[in-house]
């Protein structure tokens, strides 16, 4: 199984995905702007594995210098929602494509991003492609929203639920290109390369208060689809209800502790 297969797990989940998946803290864009500030303005960008365009729309709204943003997404359902929800953003286009074979010309972007998506990629091939399409000194931004389960009894129990019902799932592991679960150490991977330089990492901690119903929607957006397919919707709903009953407050809300993990790197200033 590879990315072309695993992305199909999101078939039929695009609307829930766009509705319930978390957004990204505005500090992400401050960090990006500071990192790239001494270089050519960010005019052309590509968001790879863009899903329904959640990060793409935040990026265009938060970095006014971007004139053209290409969302690259292999899943037809996700791409269709991205096109619909992004129609008012001038200069934002959605293309079908894969991270390992980007449908973009050489040296065409000042910025390439992947937001809670690079875990799905064959990353050595993706890094090679990112380096190809980046202009000299162009920026690669990888970011990942992660649960801080080690600091939250609720999220620790949610991780245990997934470990019980999703074959191969382990906390701090992510769905990967091969159809299993693996570590995703973007920083170490990029530091080992010669075509992407100046690696920096930032960790942003934040908290989301969300209703129990919204958290159920988040789970239905793809997070527990494998568990439902294996054990049945009724079984997973019962487990999830019991979890939420233990942790929701009197108003029916739970607190989700997030870590947004950012890794930035840069193409060499001159091509060899």
């Amino acid at each position: 199984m590879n990315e072309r297969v695993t992305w199909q797990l999101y078939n039929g989940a695009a609307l829930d995905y766009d509705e319930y998946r978390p957004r990204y803290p505005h500090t992400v864009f401050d960090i990006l702007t500071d990192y790239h500030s001494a270089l050519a303005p960010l005019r052309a960008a590509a968001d790879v594995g863009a899903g329904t365009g959640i990060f793409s729309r935040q990026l265009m709204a938060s970095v006014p210098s971007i004139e053209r943003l290409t969302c690259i997404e292999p899943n037809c359902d996700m791409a269709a929602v991205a096109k619909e929800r992004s129609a008012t953003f001038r200069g934002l286009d959605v293309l079908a494509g894969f991270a390992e074979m980007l449908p973009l010309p050489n040296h065409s972007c000042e910025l390439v991003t992947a937001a809670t998506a690079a875990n799905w990629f064959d990353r050595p091939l993706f890094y090679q492609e990112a380096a190809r399409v980046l202009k000299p000194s162009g920026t690669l931004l990888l970011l990942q929203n992660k649960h801080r389960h080690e600091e939250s009894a609720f999220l620790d129990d949610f991780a245990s639920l997934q470990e019980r019902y999703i074959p191969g799932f382990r906390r701090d592991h992510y769905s990967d290109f091969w159809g299993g679960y693996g570590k995703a150490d973007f920083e170490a991977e990029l530091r080992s390369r010669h075509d992407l330089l100046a690696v920096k990492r930032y960790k942003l901690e934040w908290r989301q208060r969300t209703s129990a119903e919204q958290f159920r929607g988040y789970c239905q957006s793809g997070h527990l689809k494998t568990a439902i397919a294996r054990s049945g919707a009724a079984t997973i709903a019962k487990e999830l209800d019991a979890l939420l009953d233990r942790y929701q407050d009197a108003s029916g809300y739970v607190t989700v502790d997030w870590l947004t993990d950012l890794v930035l790197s840069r193409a060499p200033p001159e091509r060899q």
Side-chain angles (χ1 to χ4, degrees):
M1 185 180 289
N2 60 30
E3 185 191 358
R4 288 162 172 76
V5 176
T6 53
W7 269 111
Q8 303 313 309
L9 295 173
Y10 288 100
N11 285 348
L15 290 175
D16 282 338
Y17 191 101
D18 197 70
E19 178 71 20
Y20 297 114
R21 288 289 169 129
R23 277 47 182 168
Y24 296 87
H26 190 78
T27 305
V28 167
F29 307 103
D30 295 334
I31 291 171
L32 170 62
T33 301
D34 287 346
Y35 179 85
H36 197 85
S37 61
L39 305 170
L42 295 171
R43 303 291 189 195
D47 186 22
V48 184
T52 60
I54 290 171
F55 181 74
S56 306
R57 295 189 293 274
Q58 281 194 267
L59 180 61
M60 283 211 86
S62 302
V63 185
S65 64
I66 294 177
E67 299 170 351
R68 177 172 56 85
L69 173 59
T70 305
C71 301
I72 299 171
E73 170 56 40
N75 183 279
C76 294
D77 289 354
M78 303 280 267
V81 173
K83 287 180 181 179
E84 177 190 343
R85 301 288 167 91
S86 306
T88 59
F89 285 80
R90 185 177 180 181
L92 193 158
D93 297 316
V94 181
L95 295 181
F98 294 95
E100 301 81 15
M101 192 179 296
L102 296 176
L104 296 170
N106 294 350
H107 314 161
S108 57
C109 295
E110 285 89 14
L111 175 66
V112 172
T113 68
T116 313
N119 55 290
W120 289 101
F121 304 162
D122 184 333
R123 285 190 296 281
L125 292 179
F126 165 63
Y127 295 146
Q128 181 177 308
E129 279 291 273
R132 177 183 67 80
V133 304
L134 283 170
K135 294 180 180 182
S137 299
T139 293
L140 173 64
L141 167 63
L142 306 179
L143 63 163
Q144 199 87 355
N145 275 337
K146 304 176 179 180
H147 285 158
R148 295 187 353 244
H149 58 80
E150 69 282 357
E151 301 172 29
S152 164
F154 167 55
L155 295 176
D156 186 61
D157 282 354
F158 181 58
S160 295
L161 187 161
Q162 294 172 88
E163 288 170 340
R164 288 196 302 273
Y165 286 99
I166 302 176
F169 178 87
R170 287 183 290 164
R171 63 194 68 203
D172 297 323
H173 288 63
Y174 301 90
S175 301
D176 64 19
F177 179 83
W178 309 108
Y181 294 88
K183 288 282 190 179
D185 192 342
F186 307 145
E187 179 184 16
E189 292 166 0
L190 288 168
R191 289 192 184 280
S192 72
R193 300 185 66 87
H194 300 291
D195 53 356
L196 293 163
L197 313 172
V199 178
K200 290 191 176 182
R201 185 178 187 180
Y202 300 85
K203 297 181 178 182
L204 306 178
E205 295 183 356
W206 56 285
R207 179 167 286 177
Q208 176 190 35
R209 186 170 181 265
T210 185
S211 72
E213 282 305 308
Q214 289 171 322
F215 192 81
R216 288 187 183 93
Y218 164 76
C219 294
Q220 291 165 4
S221 72
H223 221 69
L224 288 179
K225 285 188 73 176
T226 302
I228 291 169
R230 181 171 181 262
S231 300
T235 296
I236 300 305
K238 182 178 179 181
E239 288 274 2
L240 192 55
D241 287 347
L243 174 71
L244 291 167
D245 285 345
R246 288 199 301 275
Y247 289 104
Q248 65 186 348
D249 62 23
S251 301
Y253 281 76
V254 292
T255 298
V256 182
D257 293 305
W258 290 100
L259 171 70
T260 299
D261 196 351
L262 285 78
V263 180
L264 299 110
S265 59
R266 184 176 296 146
E270 298 295 337
R271 301 294 173 180
Q272 301 299 319

